[in-house]
Amino acid sequence: MNSNPPAQAYQFDLKHAVTKNRFVGFWRMMTGFRWLYFGAIATLGLASLFSMLSFLLIRYFVDEALQQPDLHNVLPYVALGFVGLALLQGAFSFFSGRLTAQTAEGVALRLRNYMFDHIQHLTFTYHDKMQTGELIQRCTSDVDTIRRFFSEQAIGVGRIIILFVINFGALLSLHVGLALVSILVLPPIIIASLFFFRRVSKAWEAYQEQDAKLSTTLQENLSGVRVVKAFARQEYERNKFEGDNYEKFRRGRNFMLMHSGFWPITDIICGAQILGGYTLAAFLVMDGTITIGTYLAYAGLLMNIINPIRNLGRLIVHMSTGLVSFDRVSEIMREAREPLTEGQHQPTGGLRGEVVFSNVSFEYEPDTPVLENISFTVKPGQTVALLGSTGSGKTSVVSLLPRFYDYKSGSITIDGVELRDYPRKYLRGQIGVVEQEPFLFSRTIRENITYGVGREVSDDEVIAAAQAAAVHDVIMTFPDGYNTLVGERGVTLSGGQKQRVVLARTLLKDPRILILDDATSSVDAETEDSIRGALLRLMQGRTSFVIAHRIQTVMHADLILVFDKGHIVQRGTHDELLAQGGMYRRVYELQSRIEDELEKEIASVGLPL
Ligand code: CTP
Ligand code: MG
């Protein structure tokens, strides 16, 4: 197995392959592989040439060699000729196959790499909307159809032209009239295949769409299997899947039926052609117009010319699947990438961390405002807490800072510079985010902690970070410690453990601005207390945004912002807000009462606190 792929596979920009004319697109995709492609066709041409020559040799053998008195002298040469031609034909077919495989697999390899890279660079907005199953489908099945286009149809076109020219030339040399009669089949085949072309295109498109839908259903049900089980919805999901699956079956059958409707038609037309040709040639032999040898050669060559014509029909019809997949793939390639390095302001010393929002409005979808006129100022090193009911826009506010989304109006500055002037890559290096829903890769715990740090990290550093995030002791109980795999083939972490691994990762990253989006939501109060120290250390000297639901977590913040329906409804320190009354105080009193009652209850049952 070759583990060192060619470097060009990663560095090639396929953007220019997205054009209106799909054949031009295919041609551009072949950049760098065109010589291989033409090599494949040329070797194929040579193989056909030798095949054609062997039929002419038959004619020589029957018409001339057999008539000679010293046949035994000629015979070895003729035999040698047949063997030699067969060997040459075989050898060139083999080379052609190799070159074809290299072209098609090479183009597909590069396309897959490009798609993977491209998809990772698309915007958050795009990923919010696009279904994962659909993307997977296009990167696998559709790319594979394109690969088949190159290995079968693109090569097939060259092959058919060559076979046609060589064999038609040979037929002409035998008998002009016979040769012309032999290609009467061409127009009806082309008409029939064009007729089927559009229908098959449509059927294939419908099939791929349904296939993508099924992938999405499968992918969603696999990631959401807990919800399905918890709500005992297996039967509903099964019926839904069966419905979708049946639709795929129906469309697949429809597609195959269309194919199988096409083949017999071409076979009948071609069969009639062969029968007609053979009969006509037989009459010519009886006439004495052509010799028996010529007849035998004609019989072989006719098959050699009918086959490519018949294949031409199949090829035109098959080509439609490649074209549909090309469209589906270029739909993704056409999407603009999120520019990571655009923006001229890139201070070398890192950010100080002064953040100013003034009159910021933002929306995910046109005309459905999510944030309206948000204004606040944070000094370097301060902590801001964001509080508010679910859906009030807290996550949206903090997602603007690393430029995950662009705000609609107003201005956001960091250290006095408009956010749009900072390259996204730089900002994301300076801002650490602990997301609301922590995600870990199916890699080792160590790899997850050091993810994105961008430098060599010593074991001591990793352990220190894990200790600070109060997750070191948990990790040490796993069989392989820090080298334990997370997920499918390894340990399964609880929500709180995952969150703390992500915290450790962020600690290591050492960002200037820190965003903790409900970072302690999956952690019980006791653990939260134990990592509060770690969190406070983490927030020390950095500008921090903390989203939380427990007032206990946020009461020491320098500024508390209370959100409601995309507006800031209250702002101030804990004491100021308590004095103000309103939503903050209501929530505070409610939470204190619940905690007091809980404590009393636990005390009355006699549980150790
Ligand atoms: N929203 C959206 N598209 C997204 C994310 C959110 O349209 N990709 C909408 C949500 O429907 C919601 C609003 O934006 O109405 C605010 O969402 P968010 O900022 O995520 O709310 P939070 O305050 O973070 O809510 P929670 O406490 O539940 O996390
Ligand atoms: Mg949120």
Side-chain angles (χ1 to χ4, degrees), residues 441-518:
F441 291 95
S442 303
R443 303 175 191 170
T444 64
I445 293 189
R446 191 184 196 282
E447 281 172 293
N448 270 295
I449 293 182
T450 56
Y451 188 80
V453 175
R455 61 185 167 90
E456 276 298 311
V457 187
S458 71
D459 285 346
D460 288 343
E461 274 182 281
V462 176
I463 292 173
Q467 275 170 338
V471 71
H472 173 72
D473 294 339
V474 180
I475 296 173
M476 292 321 284
T477 63
F478 297 146
D480 296 321
Y482 282 86
N483 292 323
T484 308
L485 278 173
V486 178
E488 277 132 51
R489 285 173 302 135
V491 295
T492 312
L493 296 181
S494 74
Q497 289 165 345
K498 270 193 214 160
Q499 245 173 357
R500 282 179 280 157
V501 170
V502 174
L503 266 178
R505 173 199 293 170
T506 314
L507 270 169
L508 258 189
K509 187 179 170 186
D510 193 20
R512 300 308 310 150
I513 295 180
L514 182 68
I515 295 171
L516 302 172
D517 192 348
D518 243 353

Side-chain angles (χ1 to χ4, degrees), residues 359-363 371-374 400 406-410:
N359 282 319
V360 175
S361 295
F362 168 65
E363 57 195 23
L371 298 173
E372 280 181 292
N373 292 324
I374 302 294
L400 296 179
D406 280 325
Y407 38 102
K408 192 181 126 202
S409 62

Side-chain angles (χ1 to χ4, degrees), residues 394-395 436 517 547:
K394 306 178 296 292
T395 301
Q436 197 163 7
D517 192 348
I547 299 178

Side-chain angles (χ1 to χ4, degrees), residues 128 364 370 388-397 405 436 517-518 549:
D128 285 346
Y364 291 101
V370 168
S389 54
T390 171
S392 55
K394 306 178 296 292
T395 301
S396 305
V397 169
Y405 301 92
Q436 197 163 7
D517 192 348
D518 243 353
H549 287 107

Side-chain angles (χ1 to χ4, degrees), residues 351-355 378-384 429-432 503 506-516 534-546 558:
L351 296 173
R352 280 187 301 116
E354 188 195 40
V355 180
V378 197
K379 300 223 164 58
Q382 281 193 332
T383 298
V384 197
Q430 298 280 314
I431 301 176
L503 266 178
T506 314
L507 270 169
L508 258 189
K509 187 179 170 186
D510 193 20
R512 300 308 310 150
I513 295 180
L514 182 68
I515 295 171
L516 302 172
L535 284 179
L536 285 176
R537 267 199 303 284
L538 182 57
M539 280 152 38
Q540 200 99 73
R542 313 167 205 274
T543 308
S544 311
F545 292 79
V546 182
D558 300 294

